[in-house]
Amino acid sequence: MDHVLVGTATGSVTDQGDVGSYLATTYLVQAGAVASGDAFDIGVIATTNGTSAAFADATAARAATVVNLTGTVGNDTLTTGANNDTISGGSGNDVITGGAGGDVLDGGSGNDTYTLVSATDSSLADAATSAVGIDTITLGTGDVINTDLTETLGALGALTSVALAAGSEATGATLTAAIAAAITEVANAAFLIKVTDSSTDSSFDGGFTGYYLAICADTTFSSNDVLIKLSGVSDTTTIAVATGGGIGLGG
């Protein structure tokens, strides 16, 4: 590496290496520290000319960076950023935290734990025309999903089928209303939902088809509640309260 900038928490920077190489495209790599609230590493283009910073600070860099992480064969701790990120955990018992954005999270083999820090990390906007804006989690036996709601998780619903009518394009508001009408809403309850979105919609045909985990914070399911698209489940899948809390697959 021809040129390295060594920075400190106070913002001072020491140049190491050939200054001439800094005039080329330069990358900023920030090593995160959980104690400081920066729980993941980021690598972004910091400058393309050696003088103009691409981002004002690490927060701005994080907001513009798409995270694509692949774990190891061991037990990894992996955290997404603020955008639509992708995590592949590999083998091992991984701990995966999904932040904002519609993340695609696959822990791979092992007993993996998925955590959503808040309900807004995976909630469907009323205007959405597909599930791209919410998290997609590949769930297997032994895996657990935690949210800020599951500590007091009460009722668990069996598989509920929801069909979205043909005609005009289905939206997030359409789907949310259809789920609310199909379930018996209870505060701190989770439901496994199978959605069939008509293939004759005017655009984005069948964009919502699939399996979902719906978690109600109160007695009215809405766009403010948690909705996660699930991969790796079927009509015979059941959900259960996992040992120690959270939601896992039933036996």
Side-chain angles (χ1 to χ4, degrees), residues 169-184:
E169 177 61 56
T171 65
T174 307
L175 177 57
T176 299
I179 292 174
I183 63 178
T184 301

Side-chain angles (χ1 to χ4, degrees), residues 24-178:
T25 300
T26 303
Y27 292 86
L28 165 67
V29 178
Q30 177 171 324
V34 175
S36 66
D38 184 12
F40 53 88
D41 297 346
I42 56 175
V44 299
I45 295 177
T47 176
T48 57
N49 59 15
T51 59
S52 301
F55 305 103
D57 51 33
T59 299
R62 186 185 302 116
T65 303
V66 174
V67 177
N68 189 340
L69 296 177
T70 299
T72 68
V73 296
N75 302 333
D76 304 310
T77 299
L78 305 169
T79 303
T80 71
N83 294 301
N84 298 342
D85 305 315
T86 301
I87 287 184
S88 299
S91 54
N93 301 331
D94 305 315
V95 177
I96 298 174
T97 300
D103 305 317
V104 177
L105 311 177
D106 184 352
S109 58
N111 298 333
D112 305 309
T113 299
Y114 302 91
T115 298
L116 303 181
V117 177
S118 72
T120 57
D121 286 344
S122 189
S123 54
L124 188 62
D126 286 342
T129 55
S130 75
V132 171
I134 62 174
D135 291 345
T136 297
I137 294 179
T138 299
L139 198 62
T141 301
D143 295 345
V144 177
I145 297 176
N146 291 317
T147 76
D148 61 349
L149 305 176
T150 57
E151 292 305 314
T152 56
L153 187 66
L156 291 171
L159 180 70
T160 299
S161 294
V162 172
L164 301 181
S168 60
E169 177 61 56
T171 65
T174 307
L175 177 57
T176 299

Side-chain angles (χ1 to χ4, degrees), residues 11-24:
S12 61
V13 176
T14 302
D15 290 341
Q16 305 288 334
D18 179 12
V19 175
S21 65
Y22 184 50
L23 300 178

